[in-house]
Amino acid sequence: MKDAPIHLLLFLLLGTAIVTLGTFYSDADDTRARKAWPRRMLNFFAGCAILVVVMLVCEHTFASLG
Amino acid sequence: MADLFSTKPPPSERRNASVAALLTWFLPGAGHFMLGSYGLGLVFLLVVEGLYYAGLSLSGGMTFEFLDPELRSPLAPALSPEIGNLGGLLWQLKTYGFGTGIVRPWPPGIVLGSLLTGLSGVLNMIVMCHAHTLARAPSPAVANRTALVTLLAWLVPGLGHFRQGRRGRALVVFGLLVGCFVLGTVLAEGSNLSRERHFYYCAGQFGIGLPALLGELFFGSMRVTRDIPYVDGGLVFACVAGLLNILAMIDVYGWTEARELGLPLKSSEHAGESAAAAAPATGVNIRL
């Protein structure tokens, strides 16, 4: 876990690329795409955070060796 | 001769654009034959299949032997760039398959050969775009422009957008995707550039065009002599960069086709309204 911050940083970088390209793909107009970008970033990372919590709960409940 | 290479189909010969694209997928140029563009269809057939044949000759048909034995199945090569040229891919599978099972040395031209068969697949996808637009467009020049920007978008991320005059978008696409690819290559210490080592990741990063092609050509045979700490992260970065460039190519293709044919541009807001508003104003007779 000592390099967790590096993994988190890499995930943030890749997530930003995915959301930006997804936003451009959804909207041909640059101005509208720019406006939609913050909301999409928030949705993406909030969704990922929820997924992490669900996975941790599942791991703790069903797969914990303790 | 001029008539032979004329790309304009007679109105009565116009057919469904999807059928033209699907036919091209199976046999390069077949969609153009259907649309009456015999000369262009023949040129596409020769170029695309010629590339595939050259690639097979150089690689000895051993590209799919890069796959580990447990990954070999009839559907396994479907996740490779060769899938763009379905006829060629099926022919290769039928003729060479996954080899005889006896371990043999790779032929000297294996890297270039496997690049050429992959390139043939990508080029055929561009030919499919051309056939698709040709079936709908009032002028063959429209299909040429649409195919050209799509090809440019594949070659260098953002170049298709730049050619369309969407400079800001071009800069962002180039910066993000080339940045991700370079960062991935640095993290993986260049080991991501070998198709032999990472068959499926290489298929994904093939979507980024020239950076992946040149990287593999010049550094694809590099030896790995030690553990690479961030190799997994690097592979994911380079692969996702290639896959996202395919999204950028679709954006470029859709934008050009919509502009040229007078169709509404893609929008996340008021999609229904703009479609209804733009349809009567186009004045172009288009068969969908």
Side-chain angles (χ1 to χ4, degrees):
Chain A
M1 282 297 283
K2 69 180 187 331
D3 56 356
I6 296 174
H7 284 277
L8 198 60
L9 180 69
L10 291 176
F11 173 70
L12 286 174
L13 280 173
L14 201 59
T16 303
I18 291 170
V19 173
T20 307
L21 264 292
T23 310
F24 279 167
Y25 178 73
S26 307
D27 220 316
D29 182 67
D30 282 353
T31 313
R32 273 205 300 267
R34 240 189 339 262
K35 277 184 191 164
W37 186 76
R39 183 178 47 79
R40 283 174 165 267
M41 286 285 279
L42 189 68
N43 285 348
F44 180 80
F45 287 112
C48 289
I50 292 168
L51 188 64
V52 168
V53 171
V54 170
M55 286 175 71
L56 286 174
V57 169
C58 285
E59 185 209 11
H60 181 77
T61 312
F62 302 114
S64 174
L65 292 175
Chain B
M1 195 68 180
D3 285 345
L4 184 66
F5 284 89
S6 165
T7 56
K8 187 172 184 180
S12 60
E13 291 294 318
R14 287 187 189 161
R15 297 284 190 278
N16 189 303
S18 303
V19 174
L22 273 176
L23 281 176
T24 307
W25 187 35
F26 284 100
L27 183 72
H32 291 82
F33 289 136
M34 186 194 90
L35 296 168
S37 302
Y38 302 108
L40 205 56
L42 191 64
V43 169
F44 285 142
L45 176 68
L46 291 175
V47 170
V48 174
E49 294 298 29
L51 270 178
Y52 208 99
Y53 181 75
L56 282 181
S57 302
L58 284 167
S59 65
M62 292 174 73
T63 301
F64 297 137
E65 292 178 47
F66 286 157
L67 282 165
D68 293 330
E70 64 270 22
L71 291 175
R72 294 175 187 178
S73 72
L75 285 178
L79 286 175
S80 70
E82 283 86 351
I83 191 69
N85 181 356
L86 188 62
L89 174 67
L90 292 176
W91 188 72
Q92 180 179 358
L93 278 177
K94 190 172 182 307
T95 312
Y96 299 97
F98 297 101
T100 56
I102 301 166
V103 180
R104 298 170 289 164
W106 302 121
I110 184 85
V111 174
L112 182 61
S114 74
L115 276 179
L116 289 181
T117 51
L119 188 62
S120 164
V122 174
L123 275 186
N124 198 39
M125 287 186 214
I126 307 292
V127 176
M128 285 167 69
C129 293
H130 191 277
H132 188 265
T133 310
L134 188 64
R136 308 170 77 192
S139 150
V142 172
N144 296 343
R145 284 194 292 270
T146 310
L148 177 67
V149 286
T150 312
L151 179 65
L152 291 176
W154 174 70
L155 276 176
V156 179
L159 191 57
H161 291 100
F162 189 83
R163 167 89 180 177
Q164 291 173 327
R166 302 155 92 193
R167 305 284 159 87
R169 192 172 281 225
L171 200 65
V172 174
V173 170
F174 179 83
L176 276 176
L177 297 191
V178 175
C180 279
F181 180 74
V182 170
L183 179 60
T185 305
V186 170
L187 288 171
E189 298 183 14
S191 64
N192 59 312
L193 299 170
S194 165
R195 198 177 181 192
E196 176 190 353
R197 199 176 289 123
H198 301 294
F199 186 84
Y200 286 129
Y201 283 110
C202 266
Q205 74 187 19
F206 206 81
I208 208 162
L210 271 184
L213 280 178
L214 296 178
E216 189 178 344
L217 198 58
F218 293 113
F219 304 107
S221 306
M222 209 166 57
R223 277 171 170 258
V224 175
T225 53
R226 61 183 181 84
D227 277 348
I228 301 169
Y230 288 102
V231 64
D232 292 339
L235 287 170
V236 170
F237 260 78
C239 181
V240 170
L243 294 175
L244 286 177
N245 196 40
I246 294 171
L247 209 60
M249 286 168 68
I250 298 171
D251 178 45
V252 164
Y253 171 73
W255 193 87
T256 307
E257 195 179 52
R259 287 288 289 246
E260 295 279 1
L261 301 182
L263 299 169
L265 292 169
K266 185 177 265 190
S267 171
S268 56
E269 297 171 15
H270 316 299
E273 289 171 29
S274 60
T282 57
V284 180
N285 185 17
I286 301 159
R287 277 183 76 109
L288 293 173

